[in-house]
Amino acid sequence: MQAKKRYLILLSAGACLALLFYLGGVELPAARRSRQDRSRSGYRPEQPWPHYSDPLHGFVPWDQTDTEDYNLHISARQKRDVNRSVYRGKRCRMDSCFDFSLCQKNGFKVYVYPQQKGEKISESYQNILSTIEGSRFYTSDPGQACLFVLSLDTLDRDQLSPQYVHNLKTKVQSLPLWNDGRNHLIFNLYSGTWPDYTEDLGFDIGQAMLAKASIGAENFRPRFDVSIPLFSKEHPRTGGERGFLKYNTIPPFRKYMLVFKGKRYLTGIGSDTRNALYHVHNAEDVVLLTTCKHGKDWQKHKDARCDKDNAEYDKYDYKEMLHNSTFCLVPRGRRLGSFRFLEALQIPTTVRSIHQDKILSLRQQTQFLWEAYFSSVEKIVLTTLEIIQDRVLEHGSRSSLMWNSHPGGLFALPQYSGYLGDFPFYYATLGIKPYPKFTAVIHAVSPLVSQSQPILKLLVAVAKSQYCAQIIVLWNCDKPLPAKHRWPATSVPVIVIEGENKVMSSRFLPYETIVTDAVLSLDEDTVLSTTEVDFAFTVWQSFPERIVGYPARSHFWDSNKERWGYTSKWTNDYSMVLTGAAMFHRYYHYLYTHYLPTSLKNMVDQLANCEDILMNFLVSAVTKLPPIKITQKKQYKETMMGQSSRASRWADPDHFAQRQTCMNKFASWFGAMPLVHSQMRLDPVLFKDQVSILRKKYRDIERL
């Protein structure tokens, strides 16, 4: 009896197990492996019953998307084949796919292939090439080049785009310097096409580096490729608008907490992400708007939410939302990249912060990043080149502080020094102060014929300053150097240097003999007392990143002529301090020489004019601040105009016209007007106050 029961139980269990196998409820290990294998080769298993308690799906990479539309067009094997063919050098790194020897002789120079006749180039790609050709990195000699850039337009590799360049594979392979892409840089914004949007560029990039928008993590080669933002064809080539953050609000919250406004893709890649936004939208402080209206046949795919979403979408103004939001959402679209990234940076907004105490600092940081690296095509391209240069010259690369703090990596050149304390921007961060002495550099252009000449009086007055370490006389005169005994005896060293090629720009060369942080730049006929020199240096110590000095000038916009104007009128408003009597950091000598293009410096040298204007443009572009004017005696204008060595220069009408021309030429190169107006003048404490003169430190200034 007991045996019968055991057999019946065993038979029932076997029948149940067979039924479960038949219905597919249990899988053997072999069956599980078989199903996984089929899934890898493109087979799509049935979707599990959804859990309504968790309606939002977690993020998965696009190549693992399991949607019906996607797998209908491309299989997993095809995707692997595409990636394998396009990124054959997927394991490339700088040490394996880059020839450093090409950069050792001439440094980091970039060669752009000559444009081939009949080849069409989009405006955006032409802007990229023009930026490179106008930069300090450019060389027209491929034998001097460290990096090569194609003249073939590779920006838009969407086969449905009118900007698509056909037969690019053959054209690239036929380039005599291609060398399997080694030491080449390829710019790309769009790759692949509807409906799959793969990262296929349509040709084998070999060992070339990519500067690419919308590049997937699985294809990005760390410290080899450069990820760039997706920018529109309307993005300015140079300059660009400044960020819209004008002042801080406390508390830092705005009308909206989180906003987004854009297309909602009903099917295919990118649809899962934006289709889920309505779960978070509350129409109050979280406003995430999507529209179905895009494409010719959007109504064919219209779902139950489209009418409501479209109506809600039309109620809000996009710019108004961005200006009044604390955070901005940047979801992916068809491609990984989005225009929303740059738009969010400018406004400013951020997407990754949830800490209230950091909102203000993050908001300011987005403005810095926008203005330093993203506001124009020029900045995007130059940032890309600087990143690659840091990899090539790794021993002289920028620190994270240089990249992520003002003025940014484009203006902080690591070739100048490896020590942050040698730059004028990091004193406060490092908790240090500049060296407490200055070097005077006197620009001499007239022969020394009399012991009563202004240059000798100036030399004596400067040498008496308690802060003067040394005086350098830059001899740019056509006459031979005076004998040593012709110079007056001083308590500080006087070094006479014969100017290189006798040109104006030589006064701003980074001479190794300048060992102090501060440089007092002087014209030979400047009239300053020792007290004025001391006060100028004292003020500069509080503003080491700016130009501090006496003679001020200003600029204005001439609406009738539609050009910038230059004025020397003495008013309460100024935007420049002339370098004939000014104090600034020696780093600006290096930046003037190595950052500015040869074309601008040649213009200055040919005119023998405008070097002071160009230096003011440069410093204001770096600091985003005006110079600082300090107290000046009333007789300065008359005294300067009365000096014989420069009287003809200042009285010459062509001299003034040249300075007008310089203003507009410089503004054109910088892409905008960097000069900033100011009405601030710094005077000594108790200056002109009705108190005893004995209580005043700089008492001699009032007597002048």
Side-chain angles (χ1 to χ4, degrees):
M1 189 68 181
Q2 295 296 329
K4 279 187 177 182
K5 286 183 179 180
R6 286 197 295 270
Y7 285 127
L8 285 173
I9 292 172
L10 183 62
L11 183 61
S12 300
C16 291
L17 189 61
L19 181 62
L20 286 173
F21 277 127
Y22 178 76
L23 295 176
V26 176
E27 292 183 358
L28 290 174
R32 255 197 318 272
R33 286 196 299 271
S34 176
R35 184 163 298 187
Q36 289 170 354
D37 293 341
R38 289 199 299 271
S39 179
R40 291 193 190 101
S41 62
Y43 175 80
R44 188 179 70 85
E46 293 295 325
Q47 293 289 346
W49 194 259
H51 297 280
Y52 290 106
S53 60
D54 185 21
L56 295 178
H57 299 288
F59 169 79
V60 291
W62 68 267
D63 61 341
Q64 297 176 18
T65 304
D66 215 19
T67 62
E68 197 167 23
D69 285 333
Y70 181 70
N71 286 298
L72 180 65
H73 297 285
I74 188 167
S75 66
R77 177 179 297 175
Q78 287 174 312
K79 284 184 286 184
R80 287 196 301 271
D81 291 342
V82 166
N83 289 337
R84 192 176 295 117
S85 64
V86 176
Y87 299 101
R88 186 167 53 83
K90 194 170 183 178
R91 296 182 180 273
C92 271
R93 298 296 184 267
M94 293 296 291
D95 57 351
S96 60
C97 294
F98 193 89
D99 186 356
F100 288 89
S101 65
L102 298 181
C103 313
Q104 292 175 355
K105 184 177 181 181
N106 300 297
F108 187 73
K109 293 295 182 181
V110 184
Y111 173 75
V112 177
Y113 283 85
Q115 295 186 14
Q116 300 179 14
K117 188 176 181 180
E119 286 292 341
K120 62 179 183 179
I121 297 181
S122 64
E123 182 180 356
S124 295
Y125 197 63
Q126 185 60 62
N127 288 340
I128 290 176
L129 299 183
S130 298
T131 295
I132 298 174
E133 292 170 348
S135 73
R136 70 182 188 280
F137 302 116
Y138 176 70
T139 177
S140 58
D141 181 2
Q144 297 182 354
C146 167
L147 190 68
F148 299 82
V149 176
L150 305 180
S151 62
L152 298 166
D153 191 344
T154 57
L155 276 191
D156 194 341
R157 301 306 297 156
D158 185 338
Q159 296 180 20
L160 301 180
S161 171
Q163 305 293 341
Y164 182 82
V165 177
H166 295 274
N167 302 319
L168 195 55
K169 180 179 180 180
T170 304
K171 294 173 182 177
V172 169
Q173 294 296 333
S174 64
L175 295 173
L177 303 173
W178 176 243
N179 191 26
D180 194 33
R182 203 170 182 84
N183 287 51
H184 280 67
L185 175 64
I186 295 171
F187 287 90
N188 176 254
L189 294 181
Y190 305 99
S191 59
T193 189
W194 185 89
D196 306 313
Y197 297 99
T198 65
E199 296 188 36
D200 184 4
L201 300 187
F203 67 100
D204 183 5
I205 67 171
Q207 300 179 48
M209 290 179 284
L210 279 176
K212 189 179 188 309
S214 304
I215 185 169
E218 69 278 5
N219 290 320
F220 181 76
R221 297 166 292 182
R223 296 193 60 78
F224 191 72
D225 294 330
V226 179
S227 179
I228 63 175
L230 182 66
F231 59 86
S232 68
K233 61 182 180 181
E234 290 82 18
H235 205 54
R237 189 180 77 82
T238 60
E241 292 186 46
R242 296 196 65 177
F244 294 142
L245 181 63
K246 304 301 181 184
Y247 56 87
N248 292 315
T249 56
I250 306 295
F253 299 108
R254 296 177 175 173
K255 180 180 179 180
Y256 305 112
M257 177 60 69
L258 179 67
V259 299
F260 170 74
K261 187 177 183 182
K263 299 174 183 177
R264 175 161 71 87
Y265 305 106
L266 300 173
T267 59
I269 297 176
S271 60
D272 288 349
T273 304
R274 298 195 179 185
N275 276 338
L277 297 183
Y278 79 99
H279 291 285
V280 186
H281 171 76
N282 64 15
E284 294 178 0
D285 62 337
V286 178
V287 181
L288 307 179
L289 307 171
T290 58
T291 179
C292 303
K293 295 180 180 179
H294 60 88
K296 297 179 180 179
D297 57 349
W298 69 271
Q299 290 184 331
K300 294 181 181 178
H301 303 282
K302 182 177 176 181
D303 62 17
R305 293 203 334 264
C306 276
D307 290 336
K308 181 180 178 182
D309 287 355
N310 292 341
E312 191 84 353
Y313 182 91
D314 294 335
K315 290 181 182 179
Y316 293 83
D317 179 75
Y318 179 59
K319 289 188 176 180
E320 188 272 337
M321 290 170 60
L322 286 182
H323 279 278
N324 292 283
S325 176
T326 303
F327 300 100
C328 178
L329 186 65
V330 186
R332 67 160 296 169
R334 290 297 196 200
R335 295 180 172 86
L336 294 175
S338 173
F339 293 126
R340 300 294 179 270
F341 175 69
L342 290 185
E343 294 166 352
L345 278 181
Q346 186 182 13
I347 293 305
T349 51
T350 183
V351 297
R352 296 189 180 276
S353 171
I354 58 174
H355 302 289
Q356 299 178 11
D357 57 340
K358 291 186 177 180
I359 291 177
L360 276 177
S361 60
L362 289 170
R363 187 174 291 165
Q364 293 168 347
Q365 186 68 5
T366 58
Q367 295 296 270
F368 160 70
L369 294 174
W370 163 261
E371 293 182 9
Y373 306 121
F374 300 125
S375 63
S376 68
V377 174
E378 178 186 54
K379 290 179 181 177
I380 293 173
V381 173
L382 292 181
T383 301
T384 301
L385 296 182
E386 293 284 6
I387 290 172
I388 297 174
Q389 182 183 220
D390 273 9
R391 296 170 182 172
V392 173
L393 310 174
E394 192 168 357
H395 61 281
S397 61
R398 295 165 178 80
S399 66
S400 59
L401 178 63
M402 297 171 79
W403 278 114
N404 294 294
S405 61
H406 186 79
L410 299 188
F411 286 122
L413 305 185
Q415 295 78 20
Y416 170 71
S417 175
Y419 174 52
L420 292 178
D422 287 336
F423 295 84
F425 321 113
Y426 310 116
Y427 290 136
T429 303
L430 299 175
I432 61 176
K433 294 181 179 180
Y435 187 73
K437 297 279 187 176
F438 69 83
T439 297
V441 178
I442 303 176
H443 186 226
V445 295
S446 303
L448 197 61
V449 296
S450 169
Q451 292 300 308
S452 63
Q453 283 184 229
I455 187 174
L456 301 180
K457 297 178 180 178
L458 176 64
L459 197 149
V460 171
V462 172
K464 289 181 179 179
S465 171
Q466 59 181 314
Y467 304 113
C468 183
Q470 61 180 353
I471 299 175
I472 297 174
V473 178
L474 179 60
W475 191 257
N476 266 350
C477 180
D478 295 332
K479 301 295 183 180
L481 286 171
K484 188 175 181 180
H485 70 273
R486 300 288 302 277
W487 301 103
T490 61
S491 59
V492 298
V494 177
I495 305 168
V496 182
I497 300 176
E498 192 156 11
E500 184 178 320
N501 301 323
K502 310 289 186 180
V503 294
M504 294 298 292
S505 292
S506 64
R507 71 181 301 177
F508 296 139
L509 286 174
Y511 295 104
E512 293 183 358
T513 48
I514 300 176
V515 295
T516 60
D517 293 325
V519 176
L520 175 60
S521 177
L522 298 165
D523 286 338
E524 62 177 10
D525 51 4
T526 299
V527 180
L528 286 178
S529 68
T530 303
T531 303
E532 289 173 307
V533 172
D534 285 347
F535 180 60
F537 180 71
T538 302
V539 173
W540 177 85
Q541 286 180 302
S542 298
F543 306 94
E545 76 283 5
R546 295 158 82 169
I547 297 178
V548 175
Y550 290 101
R553 297 292 185 267
S554 189
H555 75 285
F556 64 94
W557 177 254
D558 189 333
S559 56
N560 293 327
K561 296 181 180 179
E562 294 188 345
R563 57 178 300 185
W564 293 105
Y566 170 89
T567 178
S568 58
K569 292 181 179 180
W570 282 44
T571 66
N572 292 328
D573 186 278
Y574 67 93
S575 58
M576 292 172 279
V577 167
L578 303 186
T579 55
M583 193 88 64
F584 49 81
H585 199 280
R586 65 173 176 169
Y587 175 62
Y588 292 122
H589 275 220
Y590 186 88
L591 209 57
Y592 184 100
T593 302
H594 295 285
Y595 176 81
L596 293 175
T598 304
S599 59
L600 295 188
K601 291 180 288 188
N602 286 344
M603 179 182 181
V604 165
D605 296 339
Q606 291 169 5
L607 296 175
N609 195 355
C610 304
E611 81 287 352
D612 47 1
I613 298 178
L614 184 54
M615 178 60 85
N616 274 270
F617 267 70
L618 175 62
V619 176
S620 290
V622 173
T623 63
K624 306 293 190 296
L625 295 169
I628 293 178
K629 175 177 171 54
I630 49 182
T631 305
Q632 177 62 43
K633 55 195 173 188
K634 295 180 180 179
Q635 298 92 336
Y636 175 80
K637 183 177 181 181
E638 292 75 15
T639 305
M640 289 290 291
M641 293 298 292
Q643 300 300 330
S644 58
S645 64
R646 290 171 63 94
S648 59
R649 178 181 174 185
W650 289 104
D652 184 0
D654 289 341
H655 176 80
F656 190 80
Q658 289 171 355
R659 294 172 82 78
Q660 301 273 14
T661 302
C662 289
M663 293 281 295
N664 290 276
K665 181 71 173 180
F666 298 163
S668 175
W669 185 83
F670 280 93
M673 173 53 72
L675 298 179
V676 182
H677 284 282
S678 176
Q679 294 183 336
M680 182 179 75
R681 189 187 75 186
L682 296 185
D683 298 332
V685 176
L686 301 179
F687 180 72
K688 296 295 185 180
D689 283 359
Q690 299 300 316
V691 297
S692 171
I693 196 72
L694 299 177
R695 297 176 60 185
K696 301 181 181 183
K697 182 176 181 179
Y698 300 99
R699 61 193 68 163
D700 291 341
I701 292 181
E702 292 190 28
R703 297 170 180 168
L704 298 173

